[in-house]
């Protein structure tokens, strides 16, 4: 079957670090995407992990463990503008399409 | 600049009416997708296309249809709108088949009364 799990909501303080976890079960798994979506807007691409390990891109990093079916998105030096939903999506090579989780709504407080 | 657009951005319609949502991209991408987004469900795939005259059903395709007559456009039609189809609809495109980033349009908020 296809299943993506991530927490529904998280809160954090401006300047802090937050980790958003994602677990997946996907047939023919080929990679893991993270998207950011501000309220009322379209999702925008953040990262794509194919191999195990950490990929760093500025204040954002993404980690993948294929053996554990696990990924996380790490946001450092949080800013108010980071308040958004973060969508985890597994790419299924078998079905040749993205399977999205329900998203994690992050609220950053001063 | 290349882009992906959707129209209309907001639509209110009555139960039973036929509705068509437009999606147009200028990247010349082969792959185009339609998703709906509802609270608690995330993005769910409705239909997708890998090229002109190619269409495929996604996980929630009942009550929806698409056609692909050119590279740029993938219109989504609701044959007979139902209240359960009230949602936000996103169109997306990607350059090739495989694990490539999808670029999303701004979305259409559809209300069926």
């Amino acid at each position: 079957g296809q299943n993506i799990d991530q927490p529904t909501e998280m809160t954090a303080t401006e300047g802090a670090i937050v980790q958003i976890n994602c677990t997946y079960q996907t047939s023919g798994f080929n990679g893991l995407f993270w998207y950011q979506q501000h309220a009322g807007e379209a999702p925008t691409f953040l990262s794509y992990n194919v191999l195990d390990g950490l990929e760093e891109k500025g204040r954002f990093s993404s980690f993948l463990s294929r053996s554990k079916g696990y990924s996380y998105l790490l946001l450092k030096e949080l800013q108010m503008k980071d308040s958004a939903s973060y969508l985890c999506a597994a790419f299924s090579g078998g079905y040749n399409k993205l399977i999205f989780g329900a998203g994690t709504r992050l609220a950053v407080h001063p | 600049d290349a882009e992906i657009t959707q129209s209309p951005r907001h639509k209110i319609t009555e139960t039973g009416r036929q509705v068509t949502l437009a999606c147009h991209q200028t990247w010349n991408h082969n792959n185009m997708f339609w998703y709906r987004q509802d609270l608690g469900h995330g993005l769910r795939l409705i239909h997708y296309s890998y090229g002109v005259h190619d269409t495929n059903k996604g996980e929630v395709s009942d009550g929806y249809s698409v056609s692909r007559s050119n590279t740029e456009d993938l219109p989504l039609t609701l044959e007979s709108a139902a209240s359960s189809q009230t949602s936000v609809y996103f169109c997306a495109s990607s350059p090739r088949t495989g694990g490539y980033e999808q670029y999303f349009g701004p979305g259409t908020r559809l209300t069926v009364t």
Side-chain angles (χ1 to χ4, degrees):
Chain A
Q2 320 276 7
N3 195 46
I4 311 283
D5 285 318
Q6 52 182 131
T8 304
E9 292 185 359
M10 298 182 72
T11 60
T13 305
E14 195 174 14
I17 299 172
V18 71
Q19 178 175 311
I20 302 174
N21 297 323
C22 171
T23 58
Y24 63 87
Q25 289 179 301
T26 309
S27 300
F29 175 79
N30 266 3
L32 199 291
F33 285 86
W34 283 95
Y35 282 82
Q36 181 190 59
Q37 185 179 24
H38 285 100
E41 298 183 8
T44 56
F45 171 79
L46 287 178
S47 67
Y48 179 45
N49 293 63
V50 178
L51 303 176
D52 284 358
L54 187 68
E55 298 251 356
E56 298 186 72
K57 196 183 290 186
R59 294 189 299 113
F60 292 9
S61 303
S62 56
F63 172 84
L64 177 66
S65 169
R66 295 175 72 112
S67 62
K68 295 182 179 178
Y70 168 69
S71 174
Y72 68 73
L73 181 69
L74 193 70
L75 292 74
K76 303 176 188 175
E77 301 169 16
L78 280 171
Q79 301 176 9
M80 298 297 290
K81 67 179 182 179
D82 297 329
S83 293
S85 288
Y86 292 86
L87 313 180
C88 171
F91 181 72
S92 168
Y95 293 96
N96 209 16
K97 55 192 177 189
L98 280 178
I99 312 296
F100 281 88
T104 298
R105 192 161 54 248
L106 174 67
V108 179
H109 299 290
Chain B
D1 285 342
E3 60 178 356
I4 180 166
T5 57
Q6 293 183 233
S7 63
R9 296 294 313 279
H10 301 271
K11 173 82 175 175
I12 300 174
T13 192
E14 294 178 346
T15 302
R17 292 199 181 252
Q18 184 181 78
V19 176
T20 296
L21 309 183
C23 176
H24 179 81
Q25 52 96 4
T26 58
W27 283 300
N28 204 36
H29 286 170
N30 284 327
N31 302 337
M32 295 184 73
F33 309 84
W34 273 105
Y35 295 90
R36 60 178 288 174
Q37 188 173 39
D38 307 286
L39 274 175
H41 288 281
L43 286 160
R44 292 183 290 175
L45 185 63
I46 305 171
H47 282 286
Y48 57 103
S49 167
Y50 291 144
V52 177
H53 303 310
D54 175 75
T55 61
N56 306 279
K57 293 182 178 180
E59 60 180 308
V60 290
S61 60
D62 287 349
Y64 303 94
S65 63
V66 293
S67 62
R68 187 93 179 268
S69 59
N70 58 52
T71 301
E72 296 79 19
D73 299 288
L74 186 70
L76 177 72
T77 297
L78 287 68
E79 303 295 342
S80 176
S83 57
S84 60
Q85 294 176 309
T86 293
S87 186
V88 179
Y89 291 86
F90 286 101
C91 178
S93 72
S94 70
R96 286 179 290 279
T97 303
Y100 292 94
E101 173 189 352
Q102 291 185 13
Y103 298 83
F104 285 83
T108 294
R109 181 173 295 275
L110 176 69
T111 302
V112 183
T113 62

